[in-house]
Amino acid sequence: MKHLTEYVWFNTKKRRDLINITQTVERLVQRSRVQEGLCLVSAMHITAGIWVNDYEDVLWQDFWALLERL
C-alpha cells in the first residue's frame, strides 16, 4: 500500500486570505505515486478551512462579500 503524509504551511500577509492550493496538492499526489485512491486535505488549525470549488474570480468576490455580510 502506497501513501504519503505531508504537512504544508501557508503564511498570509492579510488577516483573511484565500490560497489556491491545487498545484501543491497535485504535486504531492504525483510524488506519492498512488494511482487510485483518496486524497485527504485537512486544515489543522481552528481558524483555517478548506473550500473545494473552481477557481473563478467572480466566485471569490461573492465569497468575500458573503463574509463581510456575516
Side-chain angles (χ1 to χ4, degrees):
M1 176 169 62
K2 294 181 184 177
H3 70 277
L4 173 71
T5 300
E6 185 78 27
Y7 296 94
V8 183
W9 298 82
F10 298 97
N11 294 312
T12 61
K13 295 179 182 178
K14 297 180 259 177
R15 184 169 180 257
R16 291 183 311 213
D17 207 353
L18 294 172
I19 303 171
N20 186 342
I21 63 170
T22 303
Q23 291 180 346
T24 301
V25 173
E26 286 175 344
R27 187 178 70 248
L28 291 171
V29 169
Q30 288 174 356
R31 194 170 90 194
S32 75
R33 297 184 183 175
V34 174
Q35 297 297 311
E36 293 182 18
L38 175 71
C39 175
L40 173 64
V41 177
S42 177
M44 302 298 286
H45 195 278
I46 195 167
T47 60
I50 303 295
W51 176 25
V52 178
N53 215 320
D54 293 329
Y55 179 81
E56 296 180 23
D57 288 334
V58 175
L59 184 61
W60 285 36
Q61 291 169 11
D62 289 347
F63 180 73
W64 284 126
L66 173 68
L67 284 178
E68 289 298 321
R69 287 193 305 269
L70 294 175

